[in-house]
Structures are given as C-alpha cells and as structure tokens.
Amino acid sequence: MSDSSRDTAEGAGWAAAERGTYLALMPDRVEKLSWLNPRTLWAARNGVLASWFGDPTGRTRGRWVAQRAAAGAPADKVITREDPQRFSFMVLGDTGEGDEPQYAVVPGFLKMSRGTSFAVITSDVIYPVGSTDDYGTKFFRPYRDYPAPIYAIPGNHDWYEGLDGFMRVFCGDAPPLPPEPGPRPLRRAWWRALLWHRPRPADEQRLARARRLRSADTQQAVQPGPYWAIDAGPLRIVGIDTGLLGTIDAEQGAWLREVSRGPRPKILLTGSPLYVDGEHHPCAIEGGGTVDDIVRDPAHRYVAAIGGDIHNYQRYPVDVDGRTVQYVVSGGGGAFMHATHTIPRVNIANVTESGFRCYPLRGDSLAFYSRLYGRRLRLRRFFTLTEAEATAVVAERLGIAPTRPHGEPVRVTRRVRLVASLLGAGRRPDRRAGLRLPVRKIYTQLFSPSSATYSPPFFKSFLRLDVTPEAIRLRCFAATGNRAQEVDPPVEDEVTIPLA
C-alpha cells in the first residue's frame, strides 16, 4: 500500500514529477469553467433568486415525481437489486466540471472500483447549471469504462435548469415538464419568474452520441425520480434531494420517514452534508422536523450519512445515544477543492480533533491555496508556503500536533503567520483572533480556486464501501493527478461500521 498524505509529503503528491495518464481520457477541447466569470455567475443565479423570492424547488420536484409515477415508477421509490449479502459500491460527489481534476479521478476510480455492483454520485453531477448538453463530456465520457450502473442524487447546480438534464439521463429519459400559468404581476413569484434562468433546448443528436459511451446492458439503470432508496444485500441506501437551498419538501419528508422504518441497516446519501466544517446542519423538512432527527432515531437504524456539496472529504463519528453514526462529507469527485484549512479546531457533538478526519489535510490545503493565490496575485515570494510551513502554522493555530510529522523543526515566521491569517486558516475556539463564522463563510465563497489553471496535486477523492451482513468497510481514496497515486491510490481514511 502506498503512502498517504498522513504519512509523507510524497504521499500527498507534492514531490511527484510525472503526471497521470488521465490526460489521454479527456476530449481535445475543454471549456474552462471559472466561477469568477460574470457569465457563469449569471447563468447560476437561480439559487440566489430562490433565497430572495421564494424557493419553487418543492413544487417542481412534486411535478417530476408525479410524472414518473404516471409513467410507472414504483410508489415507494425503492430500487430492489439482486446483490448478494456481500457486495461493494462506490460513492463520488460533485463531479462534473469536465476539466483536469475530474478526469484525474477516473484512473484510480476505475482501478479501485473493480468488482463493485454500482456507483452513486452525490450532488452536482453537472456544472455549472446541469445542462443536458454537458452530460457528454462531464458524465458519459469520464465514466464510460465503469461497467456497472451509476445512480445519482441531484445537487443545487443540477437544479439550475429545473432538473431537466438530470431527469433525462437518470430517470428514463423523462420529458420536460409542461409550462405552468404565470404568477400574478408584481408578486414575489412574478419577479422570480421574470429573472429565472430556464433550460436551453437540448441538442438531441449530441445527447444520443453521448449515451452510446455508456450503452452496455450492465451499465443501465433507471431511477424512480430525484430521490429514491436502493435495497442491496443486507443494506438499504436512501438518497434524498435537497434542491437549491439544502432543504426538503413535506412530500419528500413524509416519504423519508416511511422508507426509513424497519430494522434493515441504512445509509443516507444527501446533496447537503449534515455535519461539515465543524458545524451541524440538520436539514429542515417543510412542515417541521429535520432529516437528522430521522437519522438519529434508533428505530430507523441509520449507521452513516454521506453528503456532497462541499468539495473535500470530512468524517465525524458522532455518538447518538450510545451508538456511533458516521457523518461523512464526500464532495471531492472532480470540482474545485474547497479549503479544509479554514475548519477551526473541531469540538462538536463530542467529536474532537482525535476523532475528526479530513482530506486534504489542513496543512496541504493551506499550501495549495498559498501557491494558487501567489500565482493569481503575482505575489509568489510573499504568499507561497512550503507544505512543511503550512503544516506547522496550522498546528500552531489549532493547538494540535502536526498531522504529518517532519524530520527537521520548521520555523514559523511572521510572514507565514500573516499568510495563514490572510487565507483564513482556522484557529482554536478560544482564540478571538481567528476568523469568525460569517467571515469564514465569505472567505470560502469568494476565495475558492474556481477552475483557475493549476497543476497537481489536485486533492480529489472518492469512496469505496464493502458491505457484509456484519459490517461496512468505508475507505476514502485519494486522486492527486500524479502518476504515483494513480497507479496505487492511497487510502486517506478507513473506518469499519458495524451492522450488528
């Protein structure tokens, strides 16, 4: 087994010189996606409009569900598979930017997914707005050699064009919804409708060509809708759709309560993680209650909740009335990397630094961002930190031992401390000088790397879950874009989840 980032800097991908073979998988022309581009931001405006003028996601989702029910989808939305009591499946999150980081995941994913029964994409299958025309290069092409079915739950970006592309690809080529009568003038809904981004007509020939890339019988699967459950072996996997704003409607909430009943062990897959960045986000249900209330109910037997949306890996082993529920963030499947160095010292729900895990490590995240903004601002000599300096200053600010030890002591200078502060590095909760929560949120939104040109390590990740009647073995594998980690993907985290 190769070194991981917790072992050596080489295991993190810092010292590697040879790029992986993923470049040969990419199309000849790749459109650069930048979240600093005003055209991209304008196209993705529906999330902001929903927060200002009311969120129509629940109503639209209900219409999709009704359409699929009329077409013969099962009323309970349960996909019954014939997997044996011992089987494996893969989980990817936030995949579809279509650029180097997404394709860099593919070789390691194909290697470590051998023998798995299916895969699931959790959140944001297609950036920036879930367009049907983008599925060719951002879904069908990268995963054309994965021989098993791929299921998905949508993220907020898949909703920016009303879920049209998602429903066509994953839900039996569902036709577009018919238009509804317009709202009364000058009401909030009228302003929303006036400014709303609507789907572009799909290029049918382009979609047909893309589908041929994953046309084998073993690759086919049809979902009953944007939320569903899968019964596989001894396990029930429940996938929910959290829409544009990270909540679920009353109809889906009632379904979730019903499908969660019974003694069968369960894993929740969600587009919005319930624990992330040292915070608890229980996910409100329209009409009352939360998704996490359902997960925590011992009668429902949830053993894990895995969410996308945030583009890194995190794990929180939370004690719930004497049993441990693993809350996992798995959004590192391809889109730009969200920082982990902004996560403060963890102390939530009795989870502390000793139990918390993340990838990339905070020091690697800080070193990555320092290089990125050194180039972007043309201040390389000032901003750029070595991985050793970044690891040392993160440990100092958090008051913890370095996650990856170094042979020689590293001097933390005033410059290093200033760069760490400017780039939003987290601190201990008792240190007032650290970034307060609203400021950290602004930092992670404004200073994400978008799709700026940068080189490995990319710090991407994916999960493999091996299921038996007794336990689930969950492993997080790294994909850096370097040949060394492509040949032998390192395990960045591993946990055994008992089912008995």
Side-chain angles (χ1 to χ4, degrees):
M1 182 180 297
S2 62
D3 284 349
S4 74
S5 67
R6 304 181 74 86
D7 300 316
T8 63
E10 292 76 13
W14 287 117
E18 184 182 2
R19 284 208 182 191
T21 61
Y22 67 90
L23 292 171
L25 305 175
M26 298 180 65
D28 294 333
R29 181 179 176 274
V30 176
E31 182 180 353
K32 290 291 183 182
L33 173 62
S34 174
W35 293 104
L36 302 178
N37 185 329
R39 291 181 61 186
T40 303
L41 294 174
W42 178 244
R45 63 189 178 271
N46 285 0
V48 175
L49 295 176
S51 65
W52 288 352
F53 300 114
D55 184 4
T57 301
R59 177 174 175 80
T60 305
R61 184 189 294 119
R63 295 179 69 207
W64 280 121
V65 169
Q67 183 205 77
R68 292 295 84 207
D76 60 4
K77 302 172 185 60
V78 175
I79 303 164
T80 303
R81 294 181 50 86
E82 297 181 356
D83 298 298
Q85 291 295 295
R86 298 174 182 269
F87 75 99
S88 303
F89 69 102
M90 306 295 290
V91 174
L92 290 156
D94 299 85
T95 52
E97 283 195 351
D99 53 7
E100 285 195 35
Q102 178 179 6
Y103 279 85
V105 174
V106 173
F109 170 79
L110 292 176
K111 181 173 183 176
M112 302 317 300
S113 66
R114 291 172 185 166
T116 57
S117 298
F118 57 89
V120 183
I121 297 177
T122 56
S123 183
D124 293 342
V125 182
I126 301 294
Y127 292 95
V129 295
S131 173
T132 304
D133 289 349
D134 286 339
Y135 270 85
T137 57
K138 299 178 182 181
F139 174 73
F140 288 106
R141 184 184 181 103
Y143 311 120
R144 60 185 172 181
D145 292 327
Y146 179 64
I150 299 177
Y151 303 94
I153 52 173
N156 56 312
H157 288 269
D158 300 306
W159 269 100
Y160 288 161
E161 289 203 348
L163 218 61
D164 280 33
F166 182 96
M167 296 297 293
R168 291 205 63 179
V169 171
F170 293 104
C171 302
D173 205 14
L177 294 172
E180 289 190 297
R184 295 176 62 182
L186 302 182
R187 299 289 184 94
R188 292 176 69 204
W190 182 85
W191 288 107
R192 183 184 67 214
L194 180 68
L195 299 171
W196 200 251
H197 172 82
R198 290 176 173 79
R200 297 167 293 181
D203 183 332
E204 298 298 332
Q205 292 184 346
R206 184 175 179 176
L207 179 59
R209 289 195 301 270
R211 288 186 187 276
R212 288 198 288 269
L213 296 174
R214 280 186 53 83
S215 58
D217 290 344
T218 59
Q219 295 175 316
Q220 306 311 304
V222 176
Q223 299 176 189
Y227 59 91
W228 41 259
I230 295 174
D231 283 347
L235 188 67
R236 171 165 284 186
I237 303 162
V238 180
I240 61 172
D241 167 20
T242 54
L244 283 170
L245 301 181
T247 61
I248 67 173
D249 60 276
E251 181 183 357
Q252 186 180 181
W255 169 85
L256 178 61
R257 291 185 176 96
E258 182 62 32
V259 83
S260 298
R261 299 181 189 277
R264 194 172 193 153
K266 299 173 186 72
I267 290 179
L268 180 76
L269 300 181
T270 169
S272 300
L274 304 182
Y275 281 86
V276 60
D277 293 346
E279 303 166 17
H280 183 212
H281 298 266
C283 187
I285 300 174
E286 181 186 25
T290 69
V291 170
D292 202 29
D293 292 339
I294 296 171
V295 170
R296 287 170 173 265
D297 188 330
H300 296 155
R301 293 204 63 198
Y302 278 94
V303 298
I306 303 173
D309 189 52
I310 301 301
H311 307 167
N312 54 47
Y313 172 83
Q314 301 173 44
R315 180 169 64 84
Y316 301 81
V318 176
D319 180 85
V320 180
D321 299 327
R323 62 192 178 92
T324 300
V325 178
Q326 300 289 343
Y327 290 87
V328 176
V329 179
S330 181
F336 69 84
M337 186 195 86
H338 277 134
T340 58
H341 66 266
T342 58
I343 302 173
R345 182 165 171 166
V346 171
N347 186 6
I348 186 169
N350 293 320
V351 179
T352 62
E353 284 292 324
S354 61
F356 170 69
R357 292 291 183 270
C358 70
Y359 177 79
L361 299 179
R362 291 178 176 106
D364 290 330
S365 170
L366 179 58
F368 173 93
Y369 270 77
S370 75
R371 285 163 166 76
L372 177 69
Y373 280 95
R375 291 193 296 268
R376 179 172 288 174
L377 301 177
R378 299 183 180 180
L379 294 171
R380 296 190 187 199
R381 292 187 64 183
F382 171 72
F383 261 101
T384 302
L385 304 181
T386 67
E387 54 82 20
E389 289 172 329
T391 297
V393 73
V394 164
E396 178 185 89
R397 290 172 70 90
L398 294 177
I400 61 175
T403 306
R404 183 173 62 234
H406 290 272
E408 297 293 330
V410 178
R411 182 167 173 256
V412 179
T413 64
R414 292 176 63 184
R415 179 189 71 87
V416 171
R417 293 189 179 99
L418 178 57
V419 170
S421 181
L422 290 173
L423 293 179
R427 300 196 73 149
R428 289 175 286 177
D430 60 338
R431 298 295 293 272
R432 293 185 179 181
L435 285 177
R436 288 177 294 178
L437 177 60
V439 180
R440 285 195 293 107
K441 286 186 174 180
I442 291 172
Y443 169 83
T444 57
Q445 291 173 6
L446 294 183
F447 292 91
S448 292
S450 71
S451 294
T453 301
Y454 56 101
S455 57
F458 295 132
F459 297 112
K460 300 290 96 187
S461 59
F462 56 91
L463 307 183
R464 175 173 172 135
L465 291 88
D466 301 301
V467 182
T468 71
E470 297 77 31
I472 300 170
R473 181 191 187 194
L474 183 153
R475 286 176 288 172
C476 172
F477 291 95
T480 67
N482 289 319
R483 178 68 174 158
Q485 287 79 40
E486 188 178 276
V487 171
D488 190 6
V491 178
E492 291 294 335
D493 187 34
E494 179 173 348
V495 63
T496 299
I497 305 171
L499 297 184

